[in-house]
Amino acid sequence: MSGLAALLSRPAFGRGTGLRSQLLLAVVCAGYAVGAGVGWGSAGLRLFMGDFGLSVAALIAAVSCFVYARRGDSRLRPAWLLFSLSSAMAAGGNAVWGWYEVVLSRDVPSPSLADLFFLCFAPPAIVGLLVLAKRPVNRAGWVCLVLDSWLIGGSLLTLSWSLALAHTAHVANAGGESVARAALSLAYPLLDIVLVSMVLALHFRRVSANRSAVNTAIAGLALTVLCDALFTSPLLRSAYQSGQLLDAGWFAGSLLLAYAPWGAHRGVDNAVRSGRAPRSTSRPIAGSLAALTPYLAAAVCTLGILYSVVDGRRPDRVVIVTGCAVVLALVVRQAIMLLDNIALTHELAQKENHFRSLVQGSSDVIMIAEPSGVLRYVSPAAAGVYGRAAEDLVGTELSSVIHPDDLGPFVHEARRFLAAPPREEPTTRIECRFRSGTGDWLHVESTVNRHQGGLLLNSRDVTERVRLQEQLQHNAEHDPLTDLPNRALFTARVAQALGGRRSGDLGAAVLFIDLDGFKAVNDSIGHQAGDELLVQAAGRLQDSVRAWDTAARLGGDEFAALIVGDGSHDQAARECQVHEIADRLRLTLSQPYRIGGGEVRVAASIGVAFAEPGITPKDLMRNADLAMYRAKAGGKDRVELYAPQMQAEVVRRSELAARVRTALRDGEFTLLHQPVVHLASGTVAAVAAQARWRSAQGILTPAEFLRVAGDGDRAAELGSWLLEEAVERAADRARAGHPTAVSVRVPAGRILDRALPFGSVEALLTRHGLSSSALMIEVADNDPRIPFDELEQRLVALRRLGVRIALDGFGNGYAAVNALRRLPVDVLKLDRNLVEGVVESARLNKITSGLLRIACDLGMQSVADGVDGPEQVRALRAMGCTHGQGMAFSGPVDEYRLRRTLVRGRFPVAGGGPVAQPVLAGGWIPLQGRSHDETTVPPT
């Protein structure tokens, strides 16, 4: 950083000019000068070129200035019109001069019309220069402008009078010339003196607009005045003839004035089109000459007086009067300038105090760094912002307060900024960390300007803003409840892991985790407890993964983990390792959670997917999600690895779900009924409603298509259709003289669904005119996480309505005893797994006999599902089973065959005869006892 001056450099920029136009102008002027120098080859051509050549050049200048005035800047238009008029006068004078010398072939009389034109050349040019001048801002400025013009003009008049004009006037008086000729001989030099005075006085006061054009015009006028001065001198005028070398100066002056607006204007346009703005450069030399102008004028005036004294002549009155006037003007001007300087000094002191107060009172820190990188000035605000006194920072290098990690970018940006054109980029912003007085690093934002080759920094502390931005960024990428990475950040981490894998390393794996039974926690003990469970689960997940792995919460009770590959090429060993991690994680998440003084248990289903060549983060996460859903469908609380056929199964499920939706809308589902037969008498006690789908592949049972579809919405829609259709058919049969009860299988989750309150069942029965006792709901679910409290309330409400309750699948699940203990059950429906082996297996025989004995003791009816043979009928009847359902009597039949069966009224029963403890009277399944009616839980 000590060599900051070598690093912070700026390039130089140039502007294009009309090079070809300038070259053409130089060639034309040089050609005219060469021709005049050799006399043009003949006397006639010399006179023609000396008179009409100058007239044509002046006419070109007049036309050029006039045309540009019609198109150019409106503020400078009067000046160019006056220059056009002045050139037109010069063209007229030269044309008259040529008329006498070339056309009439005689000398030009004096005075003549040419003298009138030539005398009218100077006044428009003088007024045009006044228009080009920068107008003074106050009265003192106008007075100084007049005094400067007089100082220059008076000094030139004194010198000219001493050198030539006095002699000219004396000769005119001695020769007896007329007053007009004497005045004319003095008018030319006096007007030239006035014009030169205006040129010199206004050269340092010209406007900044189109500066190149103004400079060229002033140069052309100055060249013309110089030639006029040489012409009026006695030595040259006596020997002057048209077409001599002096005419080349007038010719060049006219062409310069003609070129001035167009050539300079084209250069500016080219710079603008190239994207470069014209630079404003400082003019110290011009400023110095402007300040010395009065003194130089006084010196010239003094030289004029001294010339008269040294020559031995008594000073002329004109010289004495003019010299005294010049001295007086100089004294007055200096007095005005002294007063003006006193006022400016006072104003400058006030502004300096004002800006010093602003700098020292600003809450921002203002620092000036030299090109070497050393801090030359630091404002007092550094004590409050950096905790360091400004005096301690002055003299230190900028690198000592900038964080090492930010120093390189800081220097790079500073170099780029200083190399850029100031007009295109006046300032820049740099953000870095500064060392505070306590040693901490503060985030500082600096507005940087150029200052004498170095840097001017206006810095402010933005640490809180940076912290807020970092917090907002953290919140955008993390879950607000568990503070784990959210789905967006997890997806980015997966993409990073896939993009940064070494060749052949396919060990990266994604785990999708779902908490089984979390919804029951929310429903039973509240969402606040559910949030606490999620926080504890997130902590366990975070502690179970490695430091370089990523644990995330995707939403709800879904979590994910990214297990980064270790570079191993043994894919089988890697899969085994990740599977062990996933299983250990499953056990950890399945441990009891301490919430509100009690324990809550949930399980975890985990899907694992490994990275494959060319796989995208989206596909990898989808594969893990599919594996997780396969784990849930396979019984939950397990780990499942992704297999390619899972995606095909998803496609099949989606297609089948769409087909089921269409089938429900198009009426492709049909309702069948299977008789429930009294085992003692063979009479039909009830019918079990079952749905079938008549698809193109044949007739499918709900177990076949719902298992593949896996769509809870479709299952709920089908369940609603089944209940509606079964009640409507039962009501029709009752009105036709076949009042047979109908049982409908409803999953426990469907009963708990808010969309199926008991009021809707009552409205359904009322709408179709079916007695509530003719409907039996078969509760089917073995999930131990079903909230029994809520399920009990719903079933009690249905019981009070008159609907009978059957416990479906009894004997197949560890929740059966708890359901039997708490739920208001009227009928036990034995699972077909018990019935199928009741004859062959003595163990199943004893289990089934015990279950039937429990049902009999509790006063419940019993129905055996899957009774397919006569030996099963005899065995079940001997055990006390009251009813049976299966192929031993009839399979599911349509409405026409069902009514024929009901007309017949009974089925032949193998080994008929009296059985122990007959429980039926007639073909109905009556309500036996009311052991569960005393439940005090109110209906919901």
Side-chain angles (χ1 to χ4, degrees):
M1 194 65 180
S2 60
L4 188 63
L7 298 176
L8 305 180
S9 61
R10 68 182 74 181
F13 293 89
R15 293 183 299 169
T17 59
L19 183 59
R20 288 187 296 180
S21 300
Q22 294 175 1
L23 289 176
L24 178 62
L25 178 64
V27 169
V28 172
C29 293
Y32 189 93
V34 171
V38 299
W40 293 104
S42 66
L45 182 59
R46 176 176 56 82
L47 292 177
F48 182 86
M49 293 301 297
D51 294 334
F52 289 110
L54 294 181
S55 178
V56 171
L59 183 62
I60 291 174
V63 173
S64 174
C65 293
F66 179 78
V67 173
Y68 181 75
R70 298 291 301 273
R71 300 173 54 184
D73 186 2
S74 60
R75 187 160 58 92
L76 300 181
R77 183 178 300 167
W80 295 107
L81 288 175
L82 290 170
F83 291 153
S84 175
L85 177 60
S86 177
S87 298
M89 294 298 102
N94 284 296
V96 172
W97 199 285
W99 175 263
Y100 281 105
E101 288 189 338
V102 177
V103 179
L104 301 180
S105 299
R106 65 187 182 88
D107 294 335
V108 180
S110 180
S112 66
L113 185 60
D115 293 322
L116 177 62
F117 279 113
F118 287 141
L119 290 176
C120 291
F121 167 78
I126 293 172
V127 178
L129 290 174
L130 287 174
V131 174
L132 289 179
K134 185 185 298 182
R135 296 184 180 181
V137 296
N138 51 27
R139 186 178 300 175
W142 284 105
V143 174
C144 289
L145 177 61
V146 174
L147 292 176
D148 289 343
S149 301
W150 167 245
L151 285 172
I152 298 173
S155 61
L156 293 177
L157 176 61
T158 301
L159 184 60
S160 300
W161 191 271
S162 300
L163 294 176
L165 294 183
H167 176 72
T168 301
H170 179 71
V171 171
N173 291 331
E177 294 182 359
S178 63
V179 176
R181 288 181 60 83
L184 183 63
S185 62
L186 294 176
Y188 281 111
L190 291 178
L191 286 176
D192 288 339
I193 289 173
V194 174
L195 187 57
V196 170
S197 301
M198 295 305 302
V199 169
L200 293 177
L202 300 179
H203 175 67
F204 307 109
R205 291 178 175 269
R206 62 189 182 277
V207 294
S208 59
N210 206 357
R211 186 181 294 271
S212 298
V214 174
N215 285 340
T216 307
I218 292 177
L221 292 175
L223 184 58
T224 301
V225 170
L226 177 62
C227 294
D228 288 345
L230 294 175
F231 171 75
T232 56
S233 64
L235 295 177
L236 291 180
R237 186 169 185 178
S238 60
Y240 172 78
Q241 291 182 354
S242 296
Q244 292 182 346
L245 191 59
L246 184 62
D247 291 347
W250 282 315
F251 184 84
S254 296
L255 290 187
L256 277 177
L257 188 59
Y259 169 77
W262 303 103
H265 184 70
R266 182 168 60 251
V268 173
D269 288 344
N270 291 337
V272 172
R273 280 193 294 267
S274 63
R276 300 192 304 269
R279 296 183 299 156
S280 61
T281 58
S282 61
R283 302 176 58 87
I285 298 178
S288 301
L289 292 177
L292 293 176
T293 299
Y295 305 100
L296 294 176
V300 171
C301 182
T302 304
L303 289 175
I305 298 174
L306 289 177
Y307 177 80
S308 299
V309 174
V310 172
D311 195 33
R313 292 184 287 113
R314 192 175 67 176
D316 192 273
R317 293 180 181 179
V318 175
V319 173
I320 294 175
V321 173
T322 304
C324 292
V326 169
V327 173
L328 179 61
L330 180 60
V331 173
V332 174
R333 188 185 186 284
Q334 291 303 107
I336 294 176
M337 293 300 298
L338 179 61
L339 295 176
D340 193 30
N341 287 339
I342 294 174
L344 289 176
T345 302
H346 180 68
E347 183 180 357
L348 181 61
Q350 288 183 339
K351 290 184 177 180
E352 184 178 356
N353 292 332
H354 174 69
F355 285 108
R356 181 182 294 109
S357 300
L358 289 178
V359 171
Q360 295 181 352
S362 174
S363 59
D364 294 347
V365 181
I366 299 175
M367 300 182 296
I368 298 177
E370 295 179 345
S372 61
V374 177
L375 294 175
R376 182 164 56 86
Y377 173 80
V378 179
S379 65
V385 177
Y386 300 148
R388 303 176 63 178
E391 294 78 9
D392 297 339
L393 290 173
V394 174
T396 61
E397 291 188 355
L398 197 58
S399 60
S400 63
V401 296
I402 299 179
H403 195 281
D405 295 341
D406 299 339
L407 183 58
F410 180 91
V411 173
H412 175 76
E413 175 62 19
R415 290 179 61 187
R416 185 204 60 79
F417 169 66
L418 291 178
R423 285 185 176 270
E424 294 181 3
E425 190 174 8
T427 62
T428 187
R429 289 182 181 272
I430 301 178
E431 188 169 330
C432 59
R433 285 167 288 179
F434 274 27
R435 186 189 300 275
S436 67
T438 60
D440 298 330
W441 293 103
L442 303 176
H443 290 270
V444 175
E445 182 186 63
S446 301
T447 301
V448 183
N449 294 271
R450 301 170 180 85
H451 181 76
Q452 299 179 0
L455 300 175
L456 173 63
L457 299 95
N458 188 354
S459 306
R460 63 198 60 87
D461 183 10
V462 293
T463 304
E464 290 301 323
R465 188 194 71 186
V466 172
R467 289 176 180 172
L468 178 59
Q469 290 176 345
E470 292 176 350
Q471 183 63 40
L472 292 176
Q473 182 68 22
H474 179 84
N475 293 342
E477 295 179 342
H478 289 76
D479 175 58
L481 178 63
T482 63
D483 202 40
L484 289 179
N486 58 13
R487 183 181 293 273
L489 181 56
F490 183 77
T491 304
R493 296 277 179 85
V494 173
Q496 182 180 2
L498 295 180
R501 296 197 313 271
R502 293 183 294 272
S503 178
D505 177 18
L506 305 178
V510 172
L511 281 62
F512 263 45
I513 306 159
D514 185 83
L515 299 182
D516 303 323
F518 175 75
K519 182 178 183 301
V521 174
N522 272 342
D523 295 339
S524 59
I525 59 178
H527 289 274
Q528 185 175 358
D531 291 344
E532 176 62 26
L533 188 148
L534 291 176
V535 172
Q536 294 185 26
R540 295 183 185 182
L541 177 60
Q542 185 68 49
D543 295 339
S544 300
V545 299
R546 301 167 299 182
W548 53 87
D549 295 331
T550 301
R553 182 191 178 204
L554 305 183
D557 61 339
E558 290 189 356
F559 294 86
L562 170 64
I563 309 300
V564 181
D566 55 4
S568 174
H569 293 274
D570 190 348
Q571 186 68 11
R574 178 61 178 162
E575 291 183 1
C576 182
Q577 179 186 9
V578 173
H579 192 280
E580 290 178 357
I581 294 174
D583 198 60
R584 185 169 61 251
L585 183 58
R586 178 188 63 82
L587 295 176
T588 301
L589 295 176
S590 300
Q591 296 297 319
Y593 294 85
R594 297 289 303 177
I595 298 176
E599 289 188 353
V600 176
R601 289 180 177 270
V602 293
S605 295
I606 302 178
V608 182
F610 287 90
E612 300 173 356
I615 194 171
T616 64
K618 180 180 179 181
D619 292 340
L620 180 59
M621 295 173 63
R622 181 206 61 195
N623 294 345
D625 197 20
L626 292 176
M628 183 267 291
Y629 277 105
R630 171 59 69 89
K632 293 178 69 69
K636 303 180 181 180
D637 193 16
R638 54 183 297 178
V639 176
E640 191 76 31
L641 297 180
Y642 171 77
Q645 58 268 24
M646 292 182 182
Q647 179 62 25
E649 184 176 346
V650 169
V651 174
R652 289 197 302 272
R653 287 181 178 178
S654 300
E655 294 176 352
L656 189 54
R659 290 171 55 196
V660 169
R661 187 184 307 112
T662 304
L664 284 170
R665 185 182 63 250
D666 297 342
E668 296 181 9
F669 281 90
T670 186
L671 184 65
L672 301 180
H673 294 85
Q674 187 173 25
V676 178
V677 179
H678 183 226
L679 295 182
S681 60
T683 58
V684 179
V687 292
Q690 299 177 11
R692 294 293 186 272
W693 179 17
R694 300 182 182 274
S695 68
Q697 289 76 23
I699 298 179
L700 302 179
T701 64
E704 293 172 332
F705 58 77
L706 289 182
R707 181 180 65 253
V708 179
D711 192 336
D713 294 337
R714 302 286 77 76
E717 189 175 354
L718 180 61
S720 299
W721 175 86
L722 178 62
L723 181 61
E724 174 89 19
E725 193 74 10
V727 169
E728 181 180 1
R729 295 285 182 87
D732 291 342
R733 289 193 296 271
R735 285 190 290 270
H738 306 289
T740 307
V742 62
S743 65
V744 181
R745 189 175 186 272
V746 181
R750 175 65 176 158
I751 295 175
L752 294 176
D753 192 352
R754 300 290 180 181
L756 186 65
F758 74 93
S760 63
V761 177
E762 182 180 10
L764 178 64
L765 294 172
T766 303
R767 183 169 65 252
H768 293 287
L770 182 66
S771 172
S772 58
S773 60
L775 175 64
M776 183 166 62
I777 300 296
E778 297 180 4
V779 182
D781 210 312
N782 293 325
D783 192 350
R785 288 175 292 276
I786 290 294
F788 275 95
D789 292 338
E790 186 176 354
L791 180 61
E792 182 181 6
Q793 295 176 15
R794 295 297 181 91
L795 294 180
V796 167
L798 291 174
R799 276 286 304 277
R800 289 179 177 176
L801 183 64
V803 176
R804 288 178 289 175
I805 306 299
L807 188 59
D808 187 29
F810 188 76
N812 182 29
Y814 47 82
V817 175
N818 190 29
L820 191 63
R821 179 178 63 87
R822 300 186 56 182
L823 300 181
V825 178
D826 299 305
V827 178
L828 287 182
K829 192 169 185 179
L830 297 179
D831 187 74
R832 65 170 50 247
N833 293 328
L834 294 176
V835 176
E836 288 176 352
V838 71
V839 178
E840 294 83 1
S841 173
R843 185 180 183 88
L844 284 179
N845 190 291
K846 290 184 178 296
I847 294 175
T848 304
S849 177
L851 293 177
L852 290 173
R853 191 178 304 110
I854 292 174
C856 183
D857 292 342
L858 292 176
M860 300 179 183
Q861 301 289 325
S862 57
V863 177
D865 189 13
V867 181
D868 297 333
E871 64 279 1
Q872 294 173 339
V873 174
R874 289 191 291 267
L876 290 170
R877 186 174 58 185
M879 296 177 188
C881 182
T882 59
H883 298 78
Q885 172 184 343
M887 297 304 296
F889 307 107
S890 172
V893 295
D894 56 17
E895 186 66 22
Y896 172 76
R897 294 182 180 180
L898 175 62
R899 294 202 179 193
R900 290 183 57 186
T901 300
L902 294 177
V903 169
R904 189 171 65 246
R906 68 176 57 244
F907 289 93
V909 180
V915 295
Q917 301 179 352
V919 293
L920 285 180
W924 291 77
I925 301 180
L927 293 177
Q928 298 290 333
R930 306 191 60 85
S931 60
H932 294 274
D933 288 351
E934 64 273 9
T935 305
T936 58
V937 180
T940 59

